[in-house]
């Protein structure tokens, strides 16, 4: 197994970013999926929700690596497509939603908040901030009394049954509300997120899953308000991940990457000034290193990662 050093990790991250930026086509859409032996073999599959997430991720890298080849222009193209083609009015409301594969998905609006706020910080254009608010209004409309959310709305007749839940969307929604509160200084968004998180924590929602989005949300909420109960919830989520051996046995790369992401967020939470003397547990750091070494095995010289 390839050794993992900071230099090697940064080289892989940069190469992956450059590859993702190169996958943004002239019209702003990504090259979504292709056959590794012959990249000209593609299919028509596309995910608007993942498009939005990719825009957010690219901007996140640009903050620290602005000179990476093709990065800024790729963001410009992908963001322009997102704004013009992906964000849609929701019914007769002022809210914005995202239709993905023919279904209105909560995760689209949630990641749209994150991407729009990143674009706002990038340019200072308040249209991005207003767009984030409108996307968040859709999230609030889907919020249930028990703290959870409606995940997937079916806008019309469908040929066969389709799931209406995708639990990762709950964490994304809470992350979006927390980010918007942090960006605007409006505590009402935070209060909604905290109320939901408190209810979900009491029933150990997502414990035993790769709940990276719940940890992203918890990280922001803990920046906004120190709360030992939320920190304890984060610990329960991570303890369950560390106890789960299935990820280490799975041939798929995406769940492994999601777990790594979750553990890195948790390490940041523990190292933050909000946790006095906080230091990531040895077991957390050990798993992060183990996961990253395994991820190196599925890294391709082109900068891409093989899905499975």
């Amino acid at each position: 197994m390839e050794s993992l050093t900071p230099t090697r990790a940064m080289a892989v991250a940069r190469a992956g970013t450059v590859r993702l930026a190169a996958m943004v086509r002239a019209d702003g859409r990504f090259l979504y999926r292709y056959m590794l032996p012959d990249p000209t073999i593609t299919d028509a599959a596309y995910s608007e929700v993942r498009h939005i997430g990719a825009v957010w991720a690219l901007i996140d890298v640009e903050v620290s690596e602005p000179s990476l080849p093709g990065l800024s222009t790729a963001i410009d193209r992908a963001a322009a497509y997102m704004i013009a083609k992906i964000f849609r009015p929701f019914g007769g409301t002022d809210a914005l939603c995202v239709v993905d594969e023919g279904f209105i998905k909560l995760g689209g609006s949630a990641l749209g908040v994150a991407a729009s706020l990143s674009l706002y910080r990038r340019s200072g254009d308040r249209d991005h901030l207003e767009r984030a608010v409108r996307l968040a209004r859709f999230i609030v409309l889907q919020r249930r009394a028990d703290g959870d959310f409606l995940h997937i709305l079916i806008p019309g007749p469908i040929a066969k049954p389709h799931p209406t839940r995708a639990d990762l969307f709950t964490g994304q929604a809470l992350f979006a509300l927390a980010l918007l509160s942090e960006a605007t200084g409006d505590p009402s968004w935070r209060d909604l997120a905290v109320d939901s998180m408190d209810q979900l924590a009491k029933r150990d929602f997502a414990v035993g899953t790769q709940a990276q989005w719940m940890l992203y949300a918890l990280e922001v909420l803990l920046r906004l308000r120190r709360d030992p109960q939320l920190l304890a919830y984060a610990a329960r989520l991570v303890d369950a991940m560390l106890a789960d051996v299935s990820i280490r046995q799975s041939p798929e790369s995406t769940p492994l990457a999601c777990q790594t992401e979750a553990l890195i967020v948790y390490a940041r939470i523990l190292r933050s000034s909000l946790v006095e003397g906080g230091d990531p547990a040895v077991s957390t750091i050990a798993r992060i290193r183990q996961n990253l070494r395994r991820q190196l095995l599925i890294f391709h010289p082109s900068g891409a990662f093989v899905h499975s």
Side-chain angles (χ1 to χ4, degrees):
M1 185 175 289
E2 186 174 353
S3 63
L4 177 69
T5 65
T7 299
R8 176 60 175 151
M10 285 302 299
V12 169
R14 291 188 182 104
T17 302
V18 170
R19 178 59 187 145
L20 182 58
M23 291 168 69
V24 181
R25 294 167 160 163
D27 66 354
R29 281 167 58 95
F30 287 86
L31 172 60
Y32 184 68
R33 185 161 59 198
Y34 60 91
M35 294 293 292
L36 187 59
D38 184 356
T40 65
I41 301 175
T42 64
D43 61 31
Y46 205 76
S47 169
E48 283 75 10
V49 175
R50 288 182 176 176
H51 180 114
I52 299 166
V55 171
W56 172 64
L58 287 173
I59 298 171
D60 189 53
V61 176
E62 186 190 39
V63 172
S64 58
E65 301 283 340
S67 62
L68 285 178
L71 177 56
S72 293
T73 56
I75 292 170
D76 292 341
R77 294 197 307 277
Y81 180 88
M82 175 181 73
I83 293 166
K85 302 293 187 180
I86 295 180
F87 297 151
R88 306 185 188 187
F90 178 61
T93 74
D94 190 40
L96 291 175
C97 68
V98 172
V99 178
D100 183 294
E101 300 175 314
F103 303 95
I104 302 173
K105 297 186 178 180
L106 179 72
S109 290
L111 292 181
V113 171
S116 296
L117 291 177
S118 291
L119 287 167
Y120 172 58
R121 287 190 293 270
R122 185 176 188 253
S123 67
D125 185 343
R126 292 191 66 85
D127 284 348
H128 295 306
L129 182 60
E130 176 57 28
R131 204 170 286 113
V133 171
R134 293 179 65 192
L135 288 158
R137 287 175 185 150
F138 175 81
I139 295 171
V140 173
L141 288 172
Q142 308 315 308
R143 187 171 176 269
R144 304 188 324 203
D146 66 355
D148 204 350
F149 298 82
L150 299 176
H151 292 163
I152 299 171
L153 303 182
I154 301 174
I158 56 177
K160 59 182 180 179
H162 188 278
T164 56
R165 283 198 62 80
D167 283 346
L168 77 161
F169 288 168
T170 293
Q172 291 175 347
L174 296 175
F175 178 51
L177 294 176
L179 282 177
L180 189 58
S181 180
E182 188 174 52
T184 62
D186 183 346
S188 64
W189 304 108
R190 177 205 63 198
D191 293 344
L192 286 171
V194 169
D195 181 67
S196 282
M197 191 68 82
D198 284 344
Q199 294 188 65
L200 294 166
K202 287 175 183 176
R203 55 182 189 267
D204 275 348
F205 175 85
V207 172
T209 69
Q210 305 310 311
Q212 78 272 24
W213 292 108
M214 293 298 288
L215 286 159
Y216 269 118
L218 285 162
E219 181 181 30
V220 181
L221 290 176
L222 286 165
R223 286 203 300 261
L224 296 173
R225 189 185 78 174
R226 182 171 181 169
D227 186 334
Q229 297 302 315
L230 294 185
L231 185 60
Y233 181 33
R236 294 198 302 278
L237 289 167
V238 170
D239 286 346
M241 288 183 211
L242 295 175
D244 182 5
V245 300
S246 64
I247 295 300
R248 285 174 283 174
Q249 298 169 345
S250 172
E252 295 187 358
S253 58
T254 300
L256 178 68
C258 291
Q259 184 183 88
T260 307
E261 193 175 6
L263 296 176
I264 289 172
V265 174
Y266 185 59
R268 288 204 305 259
I269 290 172
L270 292 183
R271 279 185 171 160
S272 73
S273 59
L274 295 174
V275 183
E276 296 177 5
D279 236 346
V282 172
S283 56
T284 302
I285 294 297
R287 179 64 67 82
I288 291 171
R289 290 183 178 276
Q290 180 187 58
N291 285 2
L292 287 173
R293 284 194 296 268
R294 288 189 59 210
Q295 287 174 243
L296 288 178
L297 297 175
I298 53 177
F299 177 69
H300 188 264
S302 67
F305 287 82
V306 182
H307 175 63
S308 59

